[in-house]
Amino acid sequence: MAFDTQAWLAEARALIGSAHVLSADRGDDLSAYTRDWRGKFQEPALAVLRPADTGEVQALMRLAARSGVAVIPQGGNTGMCAASVPVPGGRPQAILQLGRMDRIFEIDPENNTATVQAGCILQTLRERAAAAGRLFPLSLGAEGSCQIGGNIATNAGGVQVLRYGNMRDLVLGLEVVLPDGERLDLLRGLRKDNTGYDLKQFFIGAEGTLGVITAATVKLFPAPSAGSVAFAGLDSIGQAVRLLGAMRARMGERFAAFELISGDAVDLVRRYFPDTPALLERRWPWHVLMEAADGGGDEALREAMQAALMACLEEGCVEDVVLAGNLGQGRTLWSLRENITHAQQMDGGNIKHDISLPISRIPAFVERMLPQLRQSFPGARPIVYGHLGDGNLHFNVSAPAGVAPAAWQERTGAVNRLVHDAVAAMRGSISAEHGVGQLKRHEMASYKTAAELDVMRRIKRALDPQGLMNPGKVL
Ligand code: FAD
Ligand code: S2G
Ligand code: ZN
């Protein structure tokens, strides 16, 4: 029997209100929801559903299960792997947009936890925690629009993993609606609970393929009262790894961020953001942006950072360094780092790699990969930067001069294979923090063992037997 779109939309509108079920056939513009952030994927959706609460999510999931409609949970739609937008073909796909469910239920400074709905914007939670004298440490360039649900579903990383871990390390409890509409209440703010399998772990990093995260209890930390930011120039990536070790030894727990930025990445930012100040006397092949934070005073922390950096200069694990004198200067240094993604987008986009390796192997990987890239793809422009402190590099490759972005995108498969084969040979990962989505799904068979994929499929079948949850992503 043919699928009756009108009847389905009428049922959905009866459940959550006509205003909160958007559909193209009544003239709604769904492009903000059906197009991925990078503009590489866009397919039609049956509808965009915007529930107000967990009860409405459950009702919608029961309708989807009854009618065989696929459901794509969507947060801020800032993901890098097109995991929150429809795939071509297959069954009708409804986007479940969590943005209306953005309440902060509780901030508990004594327990150092916050309980929020999935649609809460990351920046909002960070601001509300700060107002309560606490830090929610997840920090990434999209924090103004990504949502806590999406951060959990992608196990997001960002720039403070070095000190506080990934999103997985920050989640204490979840509320999840399963594909059959069942509500799973795991919303306990406990740091210890050994009563059977740790079920929340199945949904963290699952990219919406096992259930809909509707709320979470996350860890908070005492808000550091002081921060100290430095920007360094280096001759080699090996020197950057030595600097990481030396600074961690000297700054200990206070060390919070260590971001590698290649000279080419700095040049790209300065081309598209011309008011980016020249931070060092000369251009270096490599730079590092680093930050320390603690509860002490500004001056004491700054002096400790200064002493540590002076010692590193004497030891030769850094060539040049500037230490921010105040918060404003620190922000300027960070805006250079945050603008790298936007500069790449403005430059026409590029072929991205979000890889991780043991930190000690990163210099050998980069020193081998750069000449291989030049040889295999003459003129290609590597834009290398990222979270060196976590062994996570964004080894992105922009088109050679004169090659149109669309033509360059045709080379994605070949460039991915060169980079990902080298990563796999060094037992690294082809997706450190962005996930798999539909972008890397076809590569899973090449880089995961058959046993791993088999267990993943068994878990998927057990929780989502109809395969309704975000089909065409990850597996
Ligand atoms: P979406 O893009 O909406 O969805 C992502 C995935 O989560 C999809 O599979 C979707 O189905 C699923 N999902 C969303 N909400 C739910 C839910 N409630 N329940 C179940 N599944 C759900 N990522 C990093 O890790 N580190 C970075 O440093 C970083 N920097 C970025 C910088 C910029 C400028 C941009 C644009 C992106 C960056 N990202 C980074 C990628 C992206 O911001 C993260 O992956 C983020 O966690 C996605 O959150 P979102 O709410 O936008 O999720
Ligand atoms: C970052 C964002 C995506 C990219 O800036 O750390 O995760 O490749 C990235 O620019
Ligand atoms: Zn990143």
Side-chain angles (χ1 to χ4, degrees), residues 232-245 258-263 282-290 315-320 359-360 362-368 370 384 388 393:
L234 303 122
D235 271 333
S236 74
I237 201 162
Q239 199 180 21
V241 171
R242 284 195 303 281
L243 177 62
L244 171 64
F258 194 87
E259 294 289 309
L260 180 77
I261 307 176
S262 69
R282 52 152 288 199
R283 180 190 186 283
W284 292 94
W286 298 98
H287 304 83
V288 160
L289 177 67
M290 58 191 118
E315 283 162 23
C317 47
V318 66
E319 296 302 321
D320 189 5
I359 294 173
S360 50
I362 286 197
F365 169 78
V366 172
E367 276 140 25
R368 188 181 312 164
L370 289 177
V384 182
L388 184 60
L393 277 194

Side-chain angles (χ1 to χ4, degrees), residues 50-57 74-75 97-107 114-125 128 136 146-152 167 173-177 183 187 212-218:
R50 302 186 311 185
D53 56 30
T54 300
E56 289 194 354
V57 172
Q74 187 181 81
Q97 176 34 254
L98 279 298
R100 285 181 67 210
M101 296 170 58
D102 62 355
R103 289 178 53 204
I104 295 180
F105 292 126
E106 179 196 38
I107 288 192
T115 301
V116 303
Q117 278 189 311
C120 178
I121 302 283
L122 171 55
Q123 187 170 312
T124 306
L125 175 58
R128 287 281 300 280
F136 180 66
C146 62
Q147 298 174 13
I148 294 300
N151 297 146
I152 295 169
M167 194 64 196
L174 288 181
E175 179 190 64
V176 178
V177 173
R183 175 176 168 265
L187 265 186
V212 183
I213 296 163
T214 45
T217 298
V218 296

Side-chain angles (χ1 to χ4, degrees), residues 126-192:
R126 283 171 55 80
E127 287 165 354
R128 287 281 300 280
R134 293 291 181 271
L135 170 72
F136 180 66
L138 186 77
S139 175
L140 47 99
E143 61 192 49
S145 38
C146 62
Q147 298 174 13
I148 294 300
N151 297 146
I152 295 169
T154 56
N155 183 24
V159 294
Q160 299 213 91
V161 170
L162 184 63
R163 181 173 182 182
Y164 296 101
N166 287 304
M167 194 64 196
R168 186 178 300 281
D169 306 301
L170 302 173
V171 175
L172 286 171
L174 288 181
E175 179 190 64
V176 178
V177 173
L178 297 174
D180 61 4
E182 185 67 42
R183 175 176 168 265
L184 200 54
D185 177 4
L186 310 169
L187 265 186
R188 301 177 195 93
L190 305 175
R191 282 169 173 75
K192 298 175 90 168

Side-chain angles (χ1 to χ4, degrees), residues 267-281:
D267 295 347
L268 193 73
V269 172
R270 305 197 60 199
R271 185 185 322 158
Y272 291 97
F273 297 87
D275 55 1
T276 304
L279 300 165
L280 297 167
E281 266 82 57

Side-chain angles (χ1 to χ4, degrees), residues 186 188 193-202:
L186 310 169
R188 301 177 195 93
D193 175 6
N194 270 338
T195 50
Y197 300 127
D198 186 359
L199 294 178
K200 67 178 178 297
Q201 298 302 345
F202 285 117

